[in-house]
Amino acid sequence: QVDVVESGGGSVQSGGSLRLSCTLSQPISSNHCTGWFRQVPGKEREGVAGLLFGSKQPYYVDSVKGRFFISQDSAQMTIYLQMNNLKPEDTAMYYCAAAGSRRSCTWPLVPSDYAHWGQGTQVSVSS
């Protein structure tokens, strides 16, 4: 089993920043898809940012382009999401996820493509 451990969520005011971290308990090979999702009550889980592990070619949903940045430290098996200029509409539970096998990544992110999920970390942005 690959455990996914997230941290970095919290409460900030509009315009603030947070950095989410996601560490995988077991190594995964390059060409595994990783990403960040978010979800609010009553809405479907939304893919926010994605990155093929071992790659530097990120994907971002339009609403976060220019504000959010996904990166990775492959040696430490950690994926980061830097969130800048946060807005109240960014308030959600954020989930880190990794695919269970090597595959081509599908953008926008599809939740069913990912086998390993973190427990979620809450991000709350007030005006």
Side-chain angles (χ1 to χ4, degrees):
Q1 181 182 5
V2 178
D3 293 327
V4 182
V5 180
E6 300 158 324
S7 63
S11 298
V12 299
Q13 291 189 329
S14 181
S17 297
L18 289 170
R19 185 175 179 86
L20 307 184
S21 298
C22 169
T23 299
L24 308 179
S25 66
Q26 300 291 333
I28 61 172
S29 300
S30 298
N31 203 32
H32 278 67
C33 299
T34 62
W36 290 90
F37 294 78
R38 65 187 181 188
Q39 189 169 28
V40 298
K43 298 190 69 175
E44 294 182 344
R45 189 166 296 187
E46 175 190 36
V48 175
L51 185 66
L52 183 68
F53 204 73
S55 171
K56 294 185 178 181
Q57 300 296 320
Y59 163 84
Y60 303 101
V61 68
D62 286 346
S63 60
V64 308
K65 286 181 178 177
R67 300 189 297 119
F68 290 13
F69 302 91
I70 187 171
S71 61
Q72 68 186 202
D73 183 336
S74 58
Q76 298 189 34
M77 296 177 290
T78 301
I79 303 98
Y80 302 97
L81 185 67
Q82 178 67 44
M83 303 184 294
N84 299 322
N85 192 23
L86 284 160
K87 304 176 180 180
E89 53 263 42
D90 295 318
T91 296
M93 185 73 72
Y94 282 72
Y95 300 90
C96 180
S101 62
R102 303 179 193 88
R103 64 187 302 276
S104 298
C105 299
T106 298
W107 313 133
L109 286 71
V110 178
S112 61
D113 288 346
Y114 297 85
H116 309 293
W117 292 84
Q119 79 287 351
T121 184
Q122 179 68 38
V123 172
S124 298
V125 186
S126 62
S127 60

